[in-house]
Amino acid sequence: MNNPWKNLPETQPYILPSDYELIDFENRKLSHDTIIQHHILPEPYIGDPNAPIILLNLNPGYADEDVAFYNQKHVRILWEKNIHHSPMDYPFWFLDPSLDVEIGGARWWQTKLKEPIKTAGLQKVANRVCCIEWFPYHSRKFARLNKIIDSQNYSFHLVQKAISQKAIVVVMRSEKLWFESVQELRSYKHVYRLNSPQNVAISRKNCPTGFPLIETILMS
């Protein structure tokens, strides 16, 4: 399947043409908290989708400080490489040490991946972990749309590919939505869950059955 994100407009609204009609329609009905934020760059996935550890999340959140974060030239360069699946020293680009970890997703992800980073270091984690979002666009709070938007099918394809490559899959949030969307997950033996989907830290305590395998992969 071709990567649709190569067709994302270079200026806002940052919505794929194939997604625009449905998102524009739904945004007229959504509340302030759930409205889809299309003035900042979407995050359908973070990292190399061929990584051996795949995290499944719901959708990228939104805070006012994110605007300043994504407006940085250096951030835009890293984001573009990620969205095009280009080679990077730190494919999970929120872990790139050149970023300011005090704002935006860099701070959030370094907190959620604290234990793997402590185990193996930033670069190994950045190269061996990928996160795929069920819904690619930002919002303060998630609200499910009435239909699947076109770009989600590419994300589902990436998960199917990861399963065929025998990746470790950790469901961070919304297991029901993921299992509905990617039927192969239902019978896949390498799916692991978190004890607390409210605190989605990837840790030995929060993912007791999966973390030993994650640790082994990171240290290999």
Side-chain angles (χ1 to χ4, degrees):
M1 182 180 290
N2 293 328
N3 183 355
W5 293 102
K6 293 180 179 181
N7 299 319
L8 188 74
E10 294 186 3
T11 57
Q12 55 181 284
Y14 296 117
I15 306 176
L16 283 175
S18 59
D19 293 340
Y20 187 87
E21 184 176 355
L22 181 57
I23 288 179
D24 182 58
F25 175 77
E26 294 287 344
N27 256 2
R28 298 174 193 175
K29 302 182 294 181
L30 293 172
S31 69
H32 170 74
D33 283 343
T34 58
I35 195 168
I36 296 163
Q37 307 287 340
H38 48 64
H39 60 294
I40 63 170
L41 298 167
E43 291 288 354
Y45 42 79
I46 308 163
D48 180 359
N50 294 309
I53 302 167
I54 302 294
L55 311 179
L56 302 183
N57 206 14
L58 180 55
N59 82 305
Y62 177 77
D64 292 335
E65 66 179 21
D66 293 335
V67 176
F69 178 76
Y70 281 98
N71 281 342
Q72 296 176 83
K73 183 178 179 180
H74 180 54
V75 167
R76 179 66 182 246
I77 291 171
L78 294 176
W79 177 90
E80 286 184 351
K81 287 183 177 180
N82 174 72
I83 212 73
H84 288 275
H85 304 310
S86 299
M88 303 172 73
D89 291 336
Y90 294 82
F92 200 109
W93 68 275
F94 281 112
L95 301 185
D96 192 306
S98 65
L99 293 176
D100 180 358
V101 298
E102 296 304 316
I103 61 172
R107 177 180 59 201
W108 194 87
W109 276 109
Q110 296 228 8
T111 300
K112 301 310 176 188
L113 295 172
K114 180 179 179 180
E115 198 161 332
I117 292 169
K118 185 177 180 181
T119 297
L122 277 172
Q123 193 158 26
K124 273 196 173 181
V125 175
N127 277 272
R128 298 185 183 183
V129 175
C130 173
C131 175
I132 300 174
E133 301 280 2
W134 188 82
F135 188 78
Y137 298 99
H138 297 257
S139 61
R140 295 180 189 273
K141 294 182 179 179
F142 175 76
R144 186 177 184 178
L145 305 187
N146 290 324
K147 295 180 181 179
I148 295 291
I149 56 174
D150 185 68
S151 63
Q152 286 179 273
N153 292 310
Y154 183 65
S155 297
F156 303 155
H157 162 74
L158 293 180
V159 178
Q160 291 167 332
K161 183 180 178 182
I163 290 172
S164 72
Q165 294 174 342
K166 311 263 187 255
I168 298 296
V169 177
V170 179
V171 182
M172 298 176 72
R173 288 195 175 108
S174 301
E175 178 180 313
K176 182 179 178 181
L177 291 179
W178 275 112
F179 278 37
E180 285 177 3
S181 304
V182 182
Q183 295 289 317
E184 293 88 341
L185 287 168
R186 296 177 182 272
S187 58
Y188 189 51
K189 66 179 180 179
H190 295 303
V191 176
Y192 300 94
R193 298 157 178 84
L194 301 181
N195 285 340
S196 173
Q198 286 75 40
N199 173 26
V200 292
I202 307 301
S203 66
R204 189 180 305 278
K205 182 177 180 181
N206 207 24
C207 189
T209 55
F211 196 83
L213 287 172
I214 292 171
E215 191 173 42
T216 297
I217 291 170
L218 291 176
M219 295 303 292
S220 63

